[in-house]
Amino acid sequence: MNNIPSAPLIAAEEVRSNFIKSFFLVGIIVALVFALSYYIGYLLGDIRTGLLVGAGISLVLIPLQIMTAKWMILTMTSGRKANPDNLRERRALHIVEGLAVSAGLKRTPELFIIPSRIPNAFASGMDENSAFIGVTQGLLEMMDDQELEGVIAHEVGHIIHRDIMLNQLVVGLITVLLVLALIIEHLGILGAYSGNSRRSRDRDSGGGAAALLLLVAMLIRPLTMLVGTLLQLGISRKREYAADAVAVRLCSYNEGLARALEKLDGDRYDSDDIRELGGENMACMYINFPGGELFSTHPPIRERVRRLRNMY
């Protein structure tokens, strides 16, 4: 059965499918924010107050995350604008311009060069007006024109779908989750030891209720971090598949990106590699970031290449 080829994938259908899955996962994160806010209200004895706490934290942290994203990314990666006098960089600039026209973008994204020997690339920007693409010096040296076009088309796909805004929204929501979990942890510990929670006031089961409350308080933060991280990684992987499909549509050719991804396939990055690329927080931004399968920000390269070569 494994030798039977899969049905060809249509790029537009692949984009739509992964788009729906991504927003389903975002919906789960929003539901978790609501659930933790509700539980804070339960601990305080006023559900409305808990929901207002959750809404207030969200309204502060999420816009802050989105507004500071570009500055933070360029600072972490030490990116500089591409120099048209440099042959390799001029080649990349022309590719970006051509793909921007093909994609129907009103403005050509800026191109930034990341001073790293590791071949990689990313896109950022909240919309077309602020969009930019970063490529490493290592990528420019490694890729031929078709491969470089495939990689940049993948990044243009992220810009078309506003994946960076989605990514920053998710990061903001995860931060909100962790803050809410921290509040629950403190309220739970305080309630368990002071006997002020509603359950601990029940004389028949006060000791057991207090112990349960303390257990929940101690576990809520690590469990929230684990679930939040898994959901964030799942969203990141879905957006990579969608951007691969857009690259096929823009280039009308799947082999360039497939070959580029094969060149990028390799061992996990060591600490020096990660530092060169701007740190762990940049992992979900790049076109590839090797890691363990469960906690990887990206789908396996082999699976991405298999899909690409079966897509039109």
Side-chain angles (χ1 to χ4, degrees):
M1 293 291 290
N2 292 333
N3 294 327
I4 298 176
S6 1
L9 299 173
I10 301 173
E13 285 299 314
E14 185 76 353
V15 170
R16 185 185 66 82
S17 172
N18 284 289
F19 194 80
I20 292 171
K21 292 173 184 175
S22 297
F23 275 89
F24 174 74
L25 293 175
V26 171
I28 293 176
I29 299 177
V30 172
L32 287 174
V33 170
F34 178 83
L36 292 187
S37 301
Y38 185 94
Y39 191 60
I40 288 174
Y42 172 79
L43 293 175
L44 293 172
D46 184 351
I47 301 301
R48 183 179 177 184
T49 299
L51 296 177
L52 287 174
V53 168
I57 293 172
S58 300
L59 289 174
V60 171
L61 291 183
I62 294 174
L64 184 64
Q65 177 68 39
I66 291 174
M67 288 187 296
T68 60
K70 180 174 182 178
W71 175 81
M72 290 178 62
I73 289 167
L74 289 177
T75 299
M76 289 188 295
T77 59
S78 303
R80 61 166 178 82
K81 284 190 176 182
N83 179 9
D85 294 329
N86 180 290
L87 181 60
R88 287 194 178 96
E89 295 176 22
R90 183 165 69 244
R91 175 183 61 152
L93 282 167
H94 289 162
I95 291 173
V96 172
E97 290 170 0
L99 288 170
V101 172
S102 298
L105 298 181
K106 296 177 182 178
R107 170 185 169 274
T108 300
E110 293 179 292
L111 180 65
F112 286 83
I113 307 301
I114 311 305
S116 171
R117 60 186 170 78
I118 303 162
N120 225 319
F122 66 86
S124 187
M126 296 301 105
D127 52 32
E128 291 184 29
N129 293 326
S130 62
F132 67 93
I133 293 171
V135 298
T136 65
Q137 291 176 334
L139 186 90
L140 292 179
E141 293 170 2
M142 175 181 284
M143 302 296 169
D144 64 28
D145 284 358
Q146 286 184 335
E147 293 161 355
L148 184 60
E149 182 184 45
V151 170
I152 293 177
H154 170 99
E155 302 307 336
V156 170
H158 283 307
I159 293 170
I160 293 171
H161 293 151
R162 298 194 176 184
D163 284 342
I164 311 308
M165 176 175 283
L166 176 62
N167 178 64
Q168 298 306 321
L169 171 63
V170 170
V171 171
L173 285 170
I174 298 297
T175 305
V176 171
L177 280 178
L178 294 178
V179 172
L180 294 176
L182 186 62
I183 293 172
I184 291 172
E185 181 180 46
H186 286 292
L187 287 176
I189 292 173
L190 181 64
Y193 282 108
S194 67
N196 289 333
S197 73
R198 285 185 290 179
R199 290 187 179 182
S200 65
R201 287 198 296 267
D202 186 342
R203 293 181 181 179
D204 296 329
S205 60
L212 178 61
L213 187 61
L214 182 60
L215 179 63
V216 171
M218 298 301 292
L219 291 178
I220 191 72
R221 189 154 45 123
L223 286 176
T224 299
M225 290 179 65
L226 176 62
V227 173
T229 299
L230 291 176
L231 287 170
Q232 183 181 13
L233 296 177
I235 292 167
S236 176
R237 289 192 288 267
K238 295 303 177 189
R239 304 319 300 148
E240 292 305 313
Y241 280 135
D244 286 347
V246 170
V248 173
R249 193 173 66 192
L250 289 178
C251 298
S252 300
Y253 181 68
N254 57 15
E255 191 60 25
L257 180 55
R259 290 202 313 266
L261 288 174
E262 286 177 332
K263 285 185 176 181
L264 294 176
D265 196 10
D267 297 330
R268 297 182 66 167
Y269 293 153
D270 60 28
S271 57
D272 290 336
D273 296 336
I274 294 172
R275 192 161 41 250
E276 271 192 46
L277 293 173
E280 289 278 7
N281 291 334
M282 285 291 298
C284 61
M285 301 286 293
Y286 283 103
I287 189 171
N288 180 49
F289 209 91
E293 190 166 331
L294 179 62
F295 290 98
S296 175
T297 54
H298 293 66
I301 288 285
R302 289 183 181 180
E303 176 61 16
R304 292 173 69 182
V305 170
R306 184 192 70 78
R307 290 188 180 212
L308 280 167
R309 288 188 168 139
N310 198 39
M311 190 183 299
Y312 66 94

